Amino acid sequence: MSTVEFARATTVQERLGAVSSLAARAKDVMVMTRRNLIHVLREPMQLSDVTVQPVLFTVLFVYVFGSGMSLPGGASYTDFVLAGLLTMNLVTSSMGTGVGLATDLANGIVERFRTLPMWRASALVGRTISDLLSAAVCSAVVAAVGLAVGWRPGHNVWSVLGGFGVALLFSYALSWATACFGLLAKEPEAAMSVGFVVIFPLAFVSNALVPTLHMPSWLRVIADWNPVSSVTATVRDLFGNPNPMPPNASWPVEHPLAAALIWSVGLIAVAAPLAAFLFRRRTTD
Amino acid sequence: MEDLTNRGVTVLLTTQYLDEADRLASRVVVVDHGRAIAEGTPAELKRSVGGARLHVTLSAEASHETVVSALAPYVAGTPLVSDGHVSAAVNGEKGLATLVVRALDSAGILVDDVEVRQPSLDDVFFALTGQAAAEEVAA
Amino acid sequence: MATHAVIEAEGLAKHYGNVHALAGLDFSVERGTVLSLLGPNGAGKTTAVRVLTTRTVPDAGRARVAGYDVAAHPAQVRRRIGVTAQDVTMDGLLTGRQNLQMVGELSGLSRRAAKRRADELLEAFGLADAGGRVAKGYSGGMRRRLDLAASLVADPPCCSLTSPLRGSTRPAGRRYGASWRT
């Protein structure tokens, strides 16, 4: 075999190697995703995150808040709040990514992974994917309960699905952020408390449950720039549900879709590489 | 384990338990403070701490000199005598226990128990690291 | 004399802060033999195993496993080793069978091959009946057998085993970790 032929053979082989390594990585991610989904089914707490909690939140807010809330123009609170409940449920359940990773690191299964010829980051990617699937189930539960208590989307099914898509994209982005908390935390408990401190204000200081209209002006600035508000407003628009706009609103309120996409993509662009770096650091010594 | 090695599998067995190393390993590396302080088959290591030891329990206290002189032909070095218990290094010749009992008997000393014990990896461990085997610590 | 050493450690050194966990450790293991690293707690055995199983990079010295340098080609080494160690656990929320299957698939077996291999090993280690139960509920002895089975899933030419016969000092429950969250 001449040198040239030999060289060509190597590049073909290399290319095949690259393809097969990509396929191997995809398979590792799938295995890890499946593992995490089994966890969700086996752990009552995790399962209730995506089943009981959305039912409870939806029913409670629609009936308790809804009974005392009057919206501008006499719009239905149920129609108003459903998009907010969707984002709120997805935002709080995104904490699971960080807590799950911290738990994996704490109990030695990651050490097992480190002895296997697998793609190291599949533990990370598989976790975010399984959490995305859980989030999709959570969304379906919110929608089903919403329909049962009188929520009616005003737009066609594609627009409504688009709304769910935007909410899920944001929850996926937030998963990468909580992954960073989980990888920085020494204990799963710590990951959770950091999550609470960051995630709860994020969920509540927003337009998710009440219009920002009557908030004190300093709070309204925060709420209007909160990504949760942008996502919720986008979902409301796509659902064709009431979305009361304050006068002389700031840019994200005027352009909720653009703001929601910028926040989501930006968060992934920052948090995913950071999580990968932190994961490598936690599993190297 | 044998099944593994028969198939050509190479096994690194890490343990703080001597009986495990003794039963399973063909070679042993004793590690202390981050380096290898001895290496060999379990038998070689045992031999390296000396041969067998004689342990005798006397029925009653006997004078030190009587015991030492009675045992002198059979033991290496001076036996340790305390509380009616005698311990000494021996070279493991045939019929040693009989010879020892006879010698003590003719010196007028009654014997409750005689044992000639091959060294264990325990003894190796103790001799090398100055620590008792981890077993008691971990148990 | 030609050596047939499959595992070789030369002058391995590793320190954590002021503690010299390894201070020039040398040894080698011939193909098809069992070598025991024996030593008290804190002697450096665990660190040596971490180096040889590609989980720790030594400060000095070098180690080769199955012909590959552990620091330069960790992926090649991982393809050729099976590991049981006290700091390496199984997934407490998966069943014994799911654990072995997962390890098999992550070691490069196809899903079907991993399934078959898991069943074989459960049978061989007397876990056939327990294979469908979550590992969290296994007794100490069953966990050890599952650990051993896991290290053999990919039929590796090298195995690193830690105290396979004895009760491990792993605190009950904690390390197998019930994963939880709210």
Side-chain angles (χ1 to χ4, degrees):
Chain A
M1 188 191 283
S2 76
T3 332
V4 178
E5 273 171 331
F6 182 74
R8 195 179 303 141
T10 332
T11 43
V12 168
Q13 206 164 36
E14 271 169 10
R15 206 168 304 147
L16 285 174
V19 169
S20 75
S21 97
L22 203 65
R25 285 178 173 199
K27 183 181 145 206
D28 289 346
V29 169
M30 205 181 70
V31 173
M32 295 305 294
T33 304
R34 197 164 57 222
R35 161 195 181 247
N36 295 330
L37 290 177
I38 295 171
H39 279 208
V40 175
L41 296 176
R42 293 253 162 80
E43 279 289 272
M45 289 305 270
Q46 289 191 42
L47 194 59
S48 88
D49 259 11
V50 294
T51 53
V52 180
Q53 181 188 301
V55 174
L56 217 58
F57 274 18
T58 308
V59 173
L60 283 178
F61 278 96
V62 165
Y63 288 112
V64 177
F65 271 55
S67 65
M69 184 77 64
S70 68
L71 292 172
S76 146
Y77 183 71
T78 308
D79 285 345
F80 165 82
V81 83
L82 196 104
L85 289 171
L86 176 67
T87 44
M88 206 177 78
N89 273 300
L90 294 184
V91 165
T92 53
S93 76
S94 74
M95 273 195 293
T97 306
V99 176
L101 282 172
T103 307
D104 283 350
L105 284 167
N107 67 27
I109 188 72
V110 171
E111 285 298 312
R112 164 75 62 197
F113 296 150
R114 292 178 63 190
T115 69
L116 298 173
M118 60 188 278
W119 184 38
R120 190 78 60 86
S122 63
L124 214 51
V125 179
R127 170 68 64 182
T128 62
I129 291 179
S130 61
D131 286 338
L132 178 64
L133 295 174
S134 303
V137 171
C138 182
S139 308
V141 173
V142 172
V145 177
L147 287 170
V149 298
W151 165 63
R152 293 295 174 264
H155 286 164
N156 68 33
V157 67
W158 300 113
S159 179
V160 172
L161 285 178
F164 282 109
V166 171
L168 287 171
L169 173 68
F170 181 64
S171 106
Y172 186 72
L174 216 51
S175 270
W176 282 105
T178 72
C180 295
F181 292 136
L183 294 166
L184 284 168
K186 291 250 179 324
E187 298 272 321
E189 291 84 347
M192 192 154 70
S193 55
V194 172
F196 270 117
V197 169
V198 177
I199 295 294
F200 267 80
L202 194 68
F204 280 93
V205 184
S206 73
N207 64 2
L209 304 172
V210 294
T212 58
L213 236 45
H214 304 298
M215 289 183 179
S217 58
W218 62 271
L219 196 62
R220 206 184 103 189
V221 171
I222 299 175
D224 284 349
W225 284 89
N226 182 347
V228 172
S229 297
S230 306
V231 173
T232 307
T234 305
V235 175
R236 278 183 186 130
D237 287 345
L238 289 168
F239 281 0
N241 285 145
N243 184 25
M245 286 254 271
N248 54 46
S250 43
W251 185 84
V253 178
E254 299 276 359
H255 307 89
L257 177 61
L261 293 180
I262 290 170
W263 274 114
S264 300
V265 174
L267 201 53
I268 294 175
V270 173
L274 181 62
F277 166 79
L278 291 172
F279 190 67
R280 213 171 309 128
R281 205 185 59 177
R282 274 295 286 270
T283 56
T284 306
D285 55 18
Chain B
M1 193 68 68
E2 239 168 68
D3 183 46
L4 281 180
T5 50
N6 284 344
R7 288 186 325 192
V9 177
T10 308
V11 180
L12 178 67
L13 173 82
T14 314
T15 182
Q16 53 176 318
Y17 302 113
L18 302 151
D19 57 336
E20 226 172 27
D22 207 355
R23 275 174 58 191
L24 301 176
S26 39
R27 292 183 73 75
V28 173
V29 170
V30 183
V31 183
D32 197 30
H33 294 108
R35 61 180 92 223
I37 54 173
E39 180 174 357
T41 65
E44 281 168 0
L45 287 173
K46 289 175 196 169
R47 233 175 287 136
S48 74
V49 291
R53 281 193 84 80
L54 169 73
H55 298 271
V56 183
T57 309
L58 306 177
S59 306
E61 285 281 337
S63 98
H64 190 258
E65 293 84 64
T66 323
V67 174
V68 170
S69 65
L71 292 180
Y74 312 108
V75 303
T78 316
L80 300 167
V81 187
S82 74
D83 274 349
H85 183 88
V86 183
S87 148
V90 291
N91 51 22
E93 64 190 279
K94 271 204 157 164
L96 182 70
T98 314
L99 296 172
V100 165
V101 171
R102 268 189 206 143
L104 290 171
D105 183 43
S106 52
I109 301 167
L110 284 181
V111 175
D112 274 352
D113 191 41
V114 178
E115 189 188 9
V116 179
R117 202 161 68 199
Q118 295 303 318
S120 66
L121 271 182
D122 260 293
D123 301 317
V124 177
F125 212 71
F126 185 74
L128 289 169
T129 67
Q131 284 186 46
E135 231 159 325
E136 299 100 75
V137 185
Chain C
M1 191 183 85
T3 78
H4 300 281
V6 174
I7 304 172
E8 298 164 89
E10 271 177 45
L12 290 184
K14 179 78 184 177
H15 66 92
Y16 297 102
N18 286 331
V19 183
H20 290 264
L22 292 176
L25 180 64
D26 299 294
F27 66 88
S28 65
V29 193
E30 302 281 303
R31 197 184 111 84
T33 67
V34 181
L35 178 110
S36 173
L37 286 185
L38 177 67
N41 268 328
K45 305 184 303 283
T46 307
T47 310
V49 168
R50 290 182 64 84
V51 169
L52 291 166
T53 56
T54 74
R55 290 177 291 144
T56 294
V57 178
D59 299 333
R62 58 183 210 114
R64 290 168 71 81
V65 173
Y68 290 93
D69 188 286
V70 293
H73 303 286
Q76 296 295 338
V77 172
R78 284 182 207 128
R79 237 164 255 163
R80 291 165 178 81
I81 56 171
V83 181
T84 79
Q86 285 179 12
D87 53 353
V88 175
T89 68
M90 303 302 283
D91 190 322
L93 284 176
L94 300 190
T95 65
R97 180 174 286 105
Q98 286 169 334
N99 262 300
L100 295 181
Q101 221 174 298
M102 174 179 75
V103 170
E105 286 188 73
L106 294 174
S107 302
L109 299 184
S110 72
R111 189 156 186 209
R112 181 180 302 181
K115 221 169 225 167
R116 202 173 40 229
R117 185 76 179 134
D119 285 336
E120 266 171 36
L121 287 165
L122 287 171
E123 189 69 42
F125 283 88
L127 292 169
D129 292 335
R133 301 212 312 263
V134 290
K136 197 164 60 168
Y138 280 18
S139 70
M142 290 160 76
R143 285 176 187 194
R144 225 149 31 244
R145 279 180 280 151
L146 185 62
D147 277 341
L148 266 173
S151 67
L152 301 178
V153 165
D155 214 356
C158 293
C159 276
S160 171
L161 310 178
T162 301
S163 294
L165 297 182
R166 303 298 292 255
S168 69
T169 49
R170 181 192 294 148
R174 182 61 182 120
R175 301 228 88 191
Y176 255 62
S179 149
W180 58 271
R181 50 171 146 157
T182 58

